[in-house]
Amino acid sequence: MCRWLAYSGEPLKPAVLILDAQHSLVAQSLNSPLGVETVNGDGFGFGWYPEGSAAGSVPALFHSIEPAWHDENLRELTNNIASPLFFGHVRAAAGPPIQQTNCHPFRYENWLFMHNGFLDGFSLMKRDLVLAVDESLFPLIHGTTDSEVMFYLAITFGLADDPIGAMAKTVQFIEQTGEAKGVHFPMQGTLALSDGATLWAFRYSTAHRTRSLFHSVEIPALREMYPDAERLQVFGDKAKVVVSEPLNDVPGAFVEVPESTVAILTDDGYSHQPFGTPAD
Amino acid sequence: MCRWLAYSGEPLKPAVLILDAQHSLVAQSLNSPLGVETVNGDGFGFGWYPEGSAAGSVPALFHSIEPAWHDENLRELTNNIASPLFFGHVRAAAGPPIQQTNCHPFRYENWLFMHNGFLDGFSLMKRDLVLAVDESLFPLIHGTTDSEVMFYLAITFGLADDPIGAMAKTVQFIEQTGEAKGVHFPMQGTLALSDGATLWAFRYSTAHRTRSLFHSVEIPALREMYPDAERLQVFGDKAKVVVSEPLNDVPGAFVEVPESTVAILTDDGYSHQPFGTPAD
Amino acid sequence: MCRWLAYSGEPLKPAVLILDAQHSLVAQSLNSPLGVETVNGDGFGFGWYPEGSAAGSVPALFHSIEPAWHDENLRELTNNIASPLFFGHVRAAAGPPIQQTNCHPFRYENWLFMHNGFLDGFSLMKRDLVLAVDESLFPLIHGTTDSEVMFYLAITFGLADDPIGAMAKTVQFIEQTGEAKGVHFPMQGTLALSDGATLWAFRYSTAHRTRSLFHSVEIPALREMYPDAERLQVFGDKAKVVVSEPLNDVPGAFVEVPESTVAILTDDGYSHQPFGTPAD
Amino acid sequence: MCRWLAYSGEPLKPAVLILDAQHSLVAQSLNSPLGVETVNGDGFGFGWYPEGSAAGSVPALFHSIEPAWHDENLRELTNNIASPLFFGHVRAAAGPPIQQTNCHPFRYENWLFMHNGFLDGFSLMKRDLVLAVDESLFPLIHGTTDSEVMFYLAITFGLADDPIGAMAKTVQFIEQTGEAKGVHFPMQGTLALSDGATLWAFRYSTAHRTRSLFHSVEIPALREMYPDAERLQVFGDKAKVVVSEPLNDVPGAFVEVPESTVAILTDDGYSHQPFGTPAD
């Protein structure tokens, strides 16, 4: 069980959320109040769309197998760039080895993807899942996690044209594969996905008991609630954060994403849609 | 605040204590009930006198900056050697960077040394402490921890001839240096020291409030208490373990080392002596 | 193109060959006279059967992504154990990322395997090759190299019962897969294989132009040739070394393994057999 | 003996020089035609003043102990930022261990410093040199290299007010210390120094036989020489590069910095001054 954070909005110095917030991602890596494992010390990943990059640009990645809380390069990097859309992920390995190729987020062309959770029975299903990945994509799988296979399945199933539909087909395929192998609740997790413009955040598990997922409310609304809050001044009006658990204890600042739901966040605001397998 | 473990006795596969015990050192690295920091993920060190090596032999070292709980090399190594005397240490960095040269135990000729604790005000005192190290030893300091400086001070003060006396002079010098710099309680910690035959374990702090230290009782006595305990069979009659906190919950298996005391463990048994500055 | 070394004989301190020989494996990692790439700095692996371990025992592994020439743990380890059979491998990565799971040797039960060379067109063939691995073995593939896939194909094809035959079937399957994908010369390399007792060393490539492979002559014969050679005294009469290139410039000390040949080394001596696809 | 590169000019994507040039720094890390060691695989460092940062800003650092040629994070970072002034350094360790704190460049407030070369007899001189560092600066020395000590000596001797004078005093102090210890030629190296605006490049050794140092000619002049050179188009008119050895084989593109000379590069051009100890 890992923790992740995704930001979209005006270009922001990522350290503000990754390192400096009350319950920042790095703080959560050492002590995560709502997580199953309290320590997430098995690798870190950070992906960002550089400030000023054109639509459809390939995002940049930083993957490290040092614990996030003492990674000097992470500190330097996230304090010295600005980005309008970035992902951060701390890993608590549930099996696959700790190596840079197993660090989230994963990237394909202009897409970023990350996952908190796991595929139950992955070692039983892995061969069938990997076989379903398009042959041309197969050599691009560099690591050994369930999450990366899930991403390449979604690309195979049409992510570029219909992200929500492709993700739903992916979940459906995983659940069918699990059923065939006697795995009752194969899918578990919260997922973040972006093409550089829109940010999708999914909360879904086969057992309908997914770990927590939250996103921030609109900043202007938050400013009205807390007109004197200095720490809000660093954020622009479009700033949005999606997180495994709230970054602070400010009442009203975060909205929970319900079970079996996808939250869609753009510069114009956010909306929620039911999410599940197509047959639901 | 780190955790450590030292073993002396019949040659033993180190994994038995490092990995497999109920509250093994690696288990403590993730969750240390009695420690100040619950996570010790900032490097691991293991030092061992190889089985069959002659008296006065140089021990071997393994230092890693990966968290101990996922270090495959540590698992392989400690399962495939046997040693009559070994030290293991998990680090929770309190400042100096995470690098192999800052991992305990430290080695000088046939001596091993490790430390759980810290020198308060070390950055104020460091220059004076380092200056007091014998000029010929100075180039041998490879890392940047307070612990390594303490070790080279003890060597400077005659460790080879009088280990307890040299350690007392070291503590005294640190306390004098602290006083001159306005540091009231500079020394804090438990220390393990060995020449390959005897094992010394010190518990001392200037404030006389040192973190915990325990060692096992004599195995034959323990066998009498628990005649049916299968897990005792792996240990020979001379087996002794010194630890920051007990490795199991078996009542009577571990004795606490009192404050301001040095425990001396040899193949013939153990004894306790008061320990403090010479002026005490 | 990597370099490797395998030793079989009386228990030996591995550092003698890994670090100390005139053209030791680590020396070759920095400057390999006969290699295609002169630098092999992309990870190191060492596998050993511990001294005194029973027949059929699982060997131990040490994998590191630090360059071998400055790896302190490698130096400590290979100077402080003895082993009757060990493998060492320095990697020059030809694509798959530098991570411990891509370091040779690979292990399955009591078997060790390593490879110097590559599968040409691996990204084209990978899916078909991986699919041919037995479903029960599939989850054991932890890295992303061509070499590891080759090893699991050989296990699938009956390595435990007929090592040479299984390796021949593996090569044949690779060549058939290559042909189907338009890859003319898919197989290239020298391979080392052991069950803990016998050591097999293969030299084979589809194009019949395999990189070099040598093994030492019988030590008693070498002693007769060089009665005054002090450095031979460290070796017992059964000592045998197989290497990508000779470890010294002593004339007569190393025999070249011919193209399309497997050398079989046991405590009783060595023999050569033609090796190729079963149809050859 | 290491290799380094410093750039000053219009904001540039560092990968252009670090990774993509004909003899880029990373290419030199594997094979350095003019270097003493041909392999520089013992750590990498990159320091940059972020685009748009104010005068006097603290630069950012990236230090890695992976060989530069396979460091994915380095590739991602240098392709996704732009900087008007950056330093890159590949290390071939001559003693001090490979760890991030020993990677160049070193930073103090708004200053960056790096060094190719070594202090001969450093282990003899280290204690005296370290003692001469200002007591307030002493705790800031995080690594164990001669180069970092040299930097803190220069800061102690007034770097902020008179960079060239402070560096001359540093060299003089090193030479006096060497003389007292019987070291005849203690200083050897090329040094790069910047405050974020000016770039100083020193070539000096006690024996007056310093390893090579070059900088590029003015780009407008180069454009006149090669009006059709497409690869010049990436550079602005103020672009300047200082390097251990030329980045390409274009005749006339690089000027050698003479022995015992400091080159001073600003947006207005460059000049050379004799450099040596004050008594010269």
Side-chain angles (χ1 to χ4, degrees):
Chain A
M1 191 60 58
C2 317
R3 317 308 293 159
W4 59 253
L5 172 158
Y7 171 84
S8 168
E10 289 81 1
L12 182 73
K13 189 172 70 168
V16 169
L17 299 175
I18 301 275
L19 299 172
D20 305 338
Q22 186 184 3
H23 301 306
S24 76
L25 192 62
V26 165
Q28 289 182 30
S29 75
L30 261 177
N31 192 346
S32 138
L34 303 187
V36 173
E37 295 85 12
T38 54
V39 182
N40 297 269
D42 303 335
F44 185 87
F46 173 64
W48 76 101
Y49 295 88
E51 186 176 8
S53 57
S57 289
V58 173
L61 291 179
F62 175 80
H63 285 160
S64 170
I65 55 176
E66 294 185 38
W69 55 85
H70 275 305
D71 193 315
E72 289 295 324
N73 289 326
L74 174 66
R75 189 170 299 275
E76 295 286 324
L77 174 61
T78 57
N79 266 304
N80 287 285
I81 60 167
S83 166
L85 206 162
F86 58 84
F87 282 24
H89 187 279
V90 287
R91 188 167 171 240
I98 301 173
Q99 49 197 26
Q100 288 187 12
T101 51
N102 283 348
C103 290
H104 304 227
F106 300 101
R107 173 179 66 188
Y108 175 74
E109 295 179 350
N110 62 315
W111 293 83
L112 281 183
F113 171 82
M114 62 184 170
H115 174 212
N116 168 22
F118 59 91
L119 299 193
D120 195 32
F122 180 55
S123 67
L124 289 173
M125 302 188 293
K126 183 174 183 183
R127 192 167 175 276
D128 289 348
L129 298 182
V130 161
L131 276 184
V133 170
D134 187 89
E135 194 166 344
S136 68
L137 298 170
F138 186 87
L140 302 179
I141 301 177
H142 290 306
T144 56
T145 60
D146 49 3
S147 309
E148 191 186 19
V149 172
M150 208 187 313
F151 183 36
Y152 279 96
L153 282 173
I155 300 167
T156 299
F157 294 152
L159 184 76
D161 295 323
D162 176 11
I164 298 177
M167 207 54 83
K169 283 180 195 161
T170 298
V171 167
Q172 185 184 32
F173 182 76
I174 289 167
E175 294 184 334
Q176 287 168 348
T177 304
E179 198 170 347
K181 298 282 179 186
V183 180
H184 296 307
F185 302 110
M187 173 69 199
Q188 164 66 261
T190 60
L191 311 169
L193 180 71
S194 182
D195 59 358
T198 299
L199 176 58
W200 293 268
F202 301 81
R203 183 181 183 194
Y204 179 81
S205 58
T206 312
H208 302 296
R209 299 181 52 165
T210 313
R211 305 296 159 64
S212 62
L213 185 65
F214 298 83
H215 63 76
S216 57
V217 301
E218 305 274 349
I219 291 287
L222 201 57
R223 283 196 224 280
E224 273 184 41
M225 290 161 64
Y226 300 96
D228 302 328
E230 280 190 35
R231 59 177 136 150
L232 288 177
Q233 295 177 3
V234 72
F235 295 107
D237 282 358
K238 298 175 181 170
K240 289 171 190 63
V241 190
V242 193
V243 277
S244 304
E245 51 195 273
L247 296 173
N248 57 48
D249 300 333
V250 178
F254 283 89
V255 175
E256 187 163 14
V257 178
E259 175 62 44
S260 302
T261 298
V262 51
I264 305 156
L265 300 96
T266 68
D267 276 355
D268 298 329
Y270 65 83
S271 63
H272 289 186
Q273 280 185 23
F275 176 80
T277 60
D280 272 7
Chain B
M1 191 60 59
C2 320
R3 317 309 292 161
W4 60 252
L5 172 157
Y7 171 84
S8 168
E10 288 81 1
L12 182 73
K13 190 172 71 168
V16 169
L17 299 175
I18 302 275
L19 299 172
D20 305 338
Q22 187 185 2
H23 301 305
S24 75
L25 192 62
V26 165
Q28 289 182 31
S29 76
L30 262 177
N31 193 346
S32 139
L34 304 187
V36 173
E37 295 86 12
T38 55
V39 183
N40 296 269
D42 302 336
F44 185 87
F46 173 63
W48 77 102
Y49 295 88
E51 186 177 6
S53 58
S57 290
V58 174
L61 291 179
F62 174 81
H63 285 160
S64 170
I65 55 174
E66 295 185 37
W69 56 84
H70 274 303
D71 192 314
E72 289 295 324
N73 289 325
L74 174 65
R75 189 170 300 274
E76 295 286 325
L77 174 63
T78 58
N79 266 304
N80 286 286
I81 61 168
S83 167
L85 207 163
F86 59 83
F87 283 24
H89 188 280
V90 287
R91 190 168 171 239
I98 301 173
Q99 49 197 28
Q100 288 187 12
T101 52
N102 284 348
C103 291
H104 304 227
F106 300 101
R107 174 178 65 190
Y108 175 74
E109 295 180 350
N110 62 315
W111 294 83
L112 281 182
F113 171 82
M114 62 184 172
H115 174 213
N116 169 21
F118 59 91
L119 299 193
D120 196 33
F122 180 56
S123 67
L124 290 172
M125 301 188 294
K126 183 174 182 182
R127 191 166 175 276
D128 289 349
L129 298 182
V130 160
L131 276 184
V133 170
D134 187 89
E135 194 166 345
S136 68
L137 298 170
F138 187 87
L140 302 179
I141 301 177
H142 290 307
T144 56
T145 61
D146 48 3
S147 309
E148 191 185 19
V149 171
M150 208 187 313
F151 183 36
Y152 279 96
L153 282 172
I155 300 167
T156 300
F157 294 152
L159 184 76
D161 295 321
D162 176 11
I164 298 175
M167 207 54 83
K169 284 181 196 161
T170 299
V171 168
Q172 185 183 32
F173 183 75
I174 290 166
E175 293 185 335
Q176 288 167 347
T177 305
E179 198 169 348
K181 297 282 180 187
V183 180
H184 297 306
F185 302 110
M187 174 68 199
Q188 164 65 262
T190 60
L191 311 169
L193 180 70
S194 183
D195 59 359
T198 299
L199 177 58
W200 293 268
F202 302 80
R203 183 181 183 192
Y204 179 82
S205 58
T206 312
H208 301 296
R209 299 181 53 166
T210 314
R211 305 296 160 65
S212 62
L213 184 66
F214 298 83
H215 63 75
S216 56
V217 301
E218 304 275 349
I219 291 286
L222 202 58
R223 282 196 223 280
E224 274 184 40
M225 290 163 63
Y226 300 95
D228 302 328
E230 279 190 37
R231 61 176 135 151
L232 288 177
Q233 296 177 2
V234 71
F235 296 107
D237 282 357
K238 298 176 181 169
K240 289 172 190 62
V241 190
V242 193
V243 277
S244 304
E245 50 195 274
L247 296 172
N248 57 49
D249 299 334
V250 179
F254 282 89
V255 176
E256 187 162 13
V257 179
E259 175 62 44
S260 304
T261 298
V262 52
I264 306 156
L265 300 95
T266 69
D267 277 354
D268 298 329
Y270 65 84
S271 63
H272 289 185
Q273 280 186 23
F275 176 80
T277 60
D280 271 8
Chain C
M1 191 59 59
C2 318
R3 318 306 294 161
W4 59 254
L5 172 157
Y7 170 85
S8 169
E10 289 81 1
L12 183 72
K13 190 172 69 169
V16 169
L17 300 175
I18 302 275
L19 298 172
D20 304 339
Q22 187 185 2
H23 301 304
S24 76
L25 192 62
V26 165
Q28 289 182 32
S29 76
L30 262 177
N31 192 346
S32 138
L34 303 188
V36 173
E37 294 85 14
T38 55
V39 183
N40 296 269
D42 302 335
F44 184 88
F46 173 63
W48 75 102
Y49 295 89
E51 186 177 7
S53 58
S57 290
V58 174
L61 291 179
F62 174 80
H63 286 160
S64 170
I65 55 176
E66 294 186 36
W69 56 85
H70 275 304
D71 193 314
E72 289 295 324
N73 289 327
L74 174 65
R75 189 170 300 275
E76 295 286 325
L77 174 61
T78 58
N79 266 303
N80 286 287
I81 61 167
S83 168
L85 207 162
F86 58 84
F87 284 23
H89 187 280
V90 286
R91 188 167 172 240
I98 301 174
Q99 50 196 27
Q100 288 186 13
T101 52
N102 284 346
C103 291
H104 304 227
F106 300 101
R107 174 179 64 189
Y108 175 74
E109 295 180 349
N110 62 315
W111 294 83
L112 281 182
F113 171 83
M114 61 184 172
H115 174 213
N116 168 22
F118 59 91
L119 298 192
D120 195 34
F122 180 56
S123 67
L124 290 173
M125 302 188 294
K126 182 173 183 182
R127 192 166 175 277
D128 289 349
L129 298 182
V130 161
L131 277 184
V133 170
D134 186 89
E135 194 165 346
S136 67
L137 298 169
F138 187 87
L140 303 179
I141 301 178
H142 290 306
T144 56
T145 61
D146 48 3
S147 309
E148 192 185 18
V149 172
M150 208 187 314
F151 184 36
Y152 279 96
L153 282 173
I155 300 167
T156 299
F157 294 152
L159 185 76
D161 295 322
D162 176 11
I164 298 177
M167 206 54 82
K169 282 180 196 161
T170 300
V171 167
Q172 185 184 31
F173 183 76
I174 289 167
E175 293 185 336
Q176 287 167 347
T177 305
E179 199 170 347
K181 297 283 180 187
V183 180
H184 296 307
F185 301 111
M187 173 68 200
Q188 163 67 262
T190 60
L191 312 169
L193 181 70
S194 183
D195 59 358
T198 299
L199 177 57
W200 294 268
F202 302 80
R203 184 181 182 192
Y204 179 82
S205 58
T206 313
H208 301 296
R209 298 181 52 165
T210 314
R211 306 297 160 64
S212 62
L213 184 65
F214 298 84
H215 63 75
S216 57
V217 301
E218 304 276 349
I219 291 287
L222 202 57
R223 281 196 225 280
E224 273 184 42
M225 290 163 63
Y226 300 96
D228 301 329
E230 279 190 36
R231 60 175 137 153
L232 288 178
Q233 296 176 3
V234 72
F235 295 107
D237 282 358
K238 297 176 182 170
K240 288 172 191 63
V241 189
V242 194
V243 277
S244 304
E245 50 196 274
L247 295 172
N248 58 47
D249 300 334
V250 178
F254 283 89
V255 176
E256 186 162 13
V257 178
E259 174 63 42
S260 302
T261 297
V262 51
I264 306 156
L265 299 96
T266 69
D267 276 355
D268 298 330
Y270 64 84
S271 63
H272 289 186
Q273 280 186 23
F275 176 79
T277 61
D280 272 7
Chain D
M1 190 61 57
C2 318
R3 318 306 295 161
W4 59 253
L5 171 158
Y7 170 84
S8 168
E10 288 83 359
L12 182 73
K13 188 172 70 168
V16 168
L17 299 175
I18 301 274
L19 298 173
D20 305 339
Q22 187 185 3
H23 301 304
S24 75
L25 192 62
V26 165
Q28 289 182 32
S29 76
L30 262 178
N31 192 346
S32 139
L34 303 188
V36 173
E37 295 85 13
T38 54
V39 183
N40 297 270
D42 303 335
F44 185 87
F46 173 64
W48 76 102
Y49 295 89
E51 186 176 8
S53 57
S57 290
V58 173
L61 290 180
F62 174 81
H63 285 160
S64 170
I65 56 175
E66 295 185 37
W69 56 86
H70 275 302
D71 192 316
E72 289 296 324
N73 289 326
L74 174 65
R75 189 170 300 274
E76 294 286 325
L77 174 62
T78 58
N79 266 304
N80 286 286
I81 59 167
S83 167
L85 206 162
F86 59 84
F87 282 24
H89 187 280
V90 286
R91 189 167 171 241
I98 301 174
Q99 50 197 27
Q100 288 186 14
T101 51
N102 284 347
C103 291
H104 304 226
F106 300 101
R107 174 179 65 189
Y108 175 75
E109 295 179 350
N110 62 316
W111 293 83
L112 281 183
F113 171 82
M114 62 184 170
H115 175 214
N116 168 21
F118 59 92
L119 298 192
D120 196 33
F122 180 56
S123 67
L124 290 173
M125 302 188 294
K126 183 174 182 182
R127 192 167 175 276
D128 289 349
L129 298 183
V130 161
L131 277 184
V133 170
D134 187 89
E135 195 165 344
S136 69
L137 298 170
F138 187 86
L140 302 179
I141 301 178
H142 291 305
T144 57
T145 61
D146 49 2
S147 309
E148 191 185 18
V149 172
M150 208 187 313
F151 183 37
Y152 279 96
L153 282 173
I155 300 166
T156 300
F157 293 152
L159 185 77
D161 295 322
D162 176 10
I164 298 176
M167 206 54 82
K169 282 180 196 161
T170 298
V171 167
Q172 185 184 32
F173 182 75
I174 290 166
E175 294 185 334
Q176 287 167 348
T177 304
E179 199 170 348
K181 297 282 180 186
V183 180
H184 296 306
F185 302 110
M187 173 68 199
Q188 163 67 262
T190 59
L191 312 168
L193 181 70
S194 182
D195 59 358
T198 300
L199 176 58
W200 294 268
F202 302 80
R203 183 181 182 193
Y204 179 81
S205 58
T206 312
H208 301 296
R209 297 181 53 166
T210 314
R211 304 298 159 64
S212 62
L213 185 64
F214 298 83
H215 64 73
S216 57
V217 300
E218 304 275 348
I219 291 286
L222 201 57
R223 283 196 223 280
E224 274 184 42
M225 289 163 64
Y226 299 96
D228 302 328
E230 278 189 36
R231 59 176 136 152
L232 289 177
Q233 295 177 3
V234 71
F235 296 107
D237 282 358
K238 296 176 182 170
K240 288 172 192 63
V241 190
V242 193
V243 277
S244 304
E245 49 195 274
L247 295 172
N248 58 47
D249 300 334
V250 179
F254 282 88
V255 176
E256 187 163 14
V257 178
E259 175 62 43
S260 303
T261 298
V262 51
I264 306 155
L265 300 95
T266 69
D267 276 354
D268 298 329
Y270 65 84
S271 63
H272 290 185
Q273 280 186 24
F275 176 80
T277 60
D280 272 7

